[in-house]
Amino acid sequence: MQTVAVVGAQWGDEGKGKVVDLLARDADVIVRFQGGNNAAHTLVVNGDKFVLRLIPSGALHPGKTCVLSNGMVVDPIALLDEIDSFKRRGRALTPTDLKLSYDAHLVLPYHRAIDRGREARAGKFAIGTTGFGIGPAYEDKMARSGLRFEDMADAPRFAEKIERNLREKNLYLKTLLKVQPLKIKETIDALMAARRRIRPYLCDTAAFLHDAIADGKKVLFEGAHGVMLDIDHGTYPYVTSSNCGASAVFGGAGLPPGKLDAVLGISKAYTTRVGAGPFPSEISGRLADSLREEGAEFGSATGRPRRIGWFDAVLVRHAIRLNGMWGLALTKLDILTGIDLLRVCVGYQIGKQRYDEIPPSRAMLTRAKPVYEELPGWTEDVSTATSLEQLPVNAQRYLDRLRELCGVRLAMIGVGPARDATITLENPFVA
Ligand code: IMP
């Protein structure tokens, strides 16, 4: 297949970075199409840990083109920091390696200040955002008051637009949120300095993608977050401010519908979530603590401890159906090693009614009691397995049951954090 989208099938942090990094070997172009630096992908390459927030994981492979397309909201200063961190590690990203859409929106310092100010005031109604200004930036996009990278073309007008917005936002920060307003000159100076370095990367990324596809190039679309954080299909209002599913590829990158060949969903062999909101299969206590430690379940973007739960087949099925997923990559199977009895959520009890599919109102999930199926665990190390047959019998049974419950092929199984600790059963680019 020529064009493949990778999307999270849970609440983000499913291990997409590693899967994208693996698939990027077969791709020519890797595209981020939504979200911003609220995403964070952690990769371990030759024992070296990389955290990528904006730049697609494929950038670690020389010779690939990475694209940040129009559906994204990009903090220019965070982007330059990331470019600099690549350079410090010996990988200078040139405008041939990295292309940023003229139409992507800027996340500006006032978006961050508003995000944090609102969350601080929200008390028990806080969403638990990353605080990186993503929601306020998308709000401005929809309100048609946002700044796009194309605005950088004309320096005086760029500065004027920032000042005009900042005066209004400062009023909001000071009088409503009761937080310190931002200094106008300092903010503009920092953005003008960023402008000089960013401009060479700007590109009509939709046209670039159309040409790449016409030339027979393989394109990988790297989703951020997960379907349950999708603004429309997730657990609203405890969601992010973008569409995180495969459909966002069309609006967010300008790919014509019909040109996307396959969607690969990514799910952990259990479930995690950061931030507030319903989580029916959540667990607490010693087992949750040990899974958190073993799985290093602390947010890559914010360092917050992730909430932990059993695999929820109802949610993953919902994600598969919404995205027409061709297959699923299941990550972190190794973290379940050593647990006597594993549970899988196969339905919900809400009041007197049993649901085998996601209930019609997401708010009902807050009252959902998980219905579990139990499966025996395994104690043998799985991290060196390179085929299904090398896995303990109970691990194979666990995978078989998840495949059956989800009704989709398992394409990859992650058995350890390293790039190569993955059993690849089917690679969509060679399928
Ligand atoms: P925001 O995207 O910063 O507005 O945060 C909204 C919600 O999405 C919060 O619960 C965040 O923790 C969550 N979130 C955003 N990005 C990610 C991600 O990449 N992984 C997991 N959770 C995320």
Side-chain angles (χ1 to χ4, degrees), residues 10-14 16 32 35-41 115 119 126-136 138 223-226 228-230 235 237-242 244 272-277 299-302 304 306-307:
Q10 297 170 313
W11 277 290
D13 307 319
E14 298 92 350
K16 291 184 288 297
R32 272 276 314 262
N37 59 335
N38 48 347
H41 292 166
D115 194 359
E119 284 282 280
I127 291 167
T129 71
T130 58
F132 293 143
I134 307 303
Y138 274 116
H225 328 303
M228 296 314 294
L229 287 172
D230 183 284
T235 45
Y238 301 101
V239 292
T240 191
S241 295
S242 60
C244 315
T272 62
R273 132 162 249 184
V274 280
S300 312
T302 58
R304 290 179 290 178
R306 295 180 184 143
R307 298 159 65 193

Side-chain angles (χ1 to χ4, degrees), residues 28-51:
D28 303 293
V29 181
I30 303 102
V31 186
R32 272 276 314 262
F33 54 93
Q34 45 74 229
N37 59 335
N38 48 347
H41 292 166
T42 308
L43 288 173
V44 182
V45 182
N46 302 330
D48 204 4
K49 192 170 147 187
F50 284 78
V51 179

Side-chain angles (χ1 to χ4, degrees), residues 138-209:
Y138 274 116
E139 275 171 48
D140 281 0
K141 171 177 177 173
M142 293 308 177
R144 293 152 296 172
S145 59
L147 269 85
R148 310 206 297 180
F149 283 91
E150 68 167 358
D151 292 316
M152 286 184 164
D154 180 334
R157 268 188 62 76
F158 181 57
E160 187 191 303
K161 275 191 169 182
I162 299 168
E163 178 166 353
R164 197 175 61 207
N165 279 4
L166 195 47
R167 287 196 185 283
E168 186 189 312
K169 304 294 181 188
N170 270 348
L171 208 63
Y172 180 69
L173 286 167
K174 204 162 60 179
T175 53
L176 259 137
L177 298 182
K178 313 271 186 241
V179 297
Q180 200 65 21
L182 299 173
K183 295 201 168 74
I184 293 180
K185 182 170 179 323
E186 258 173 42
T187 309
I188 293 178
D189 287 350
L191 289 163
M192 293 307 268
R195 169 188 174 270
R196 279 187 286 278
R197 293 189 56 203
I198 291 274
R199 283 190 66 207
Y201 293 99
L202 297 182
C203 167
D204 178 345
T205 55
F208 173 81
L209 283 174

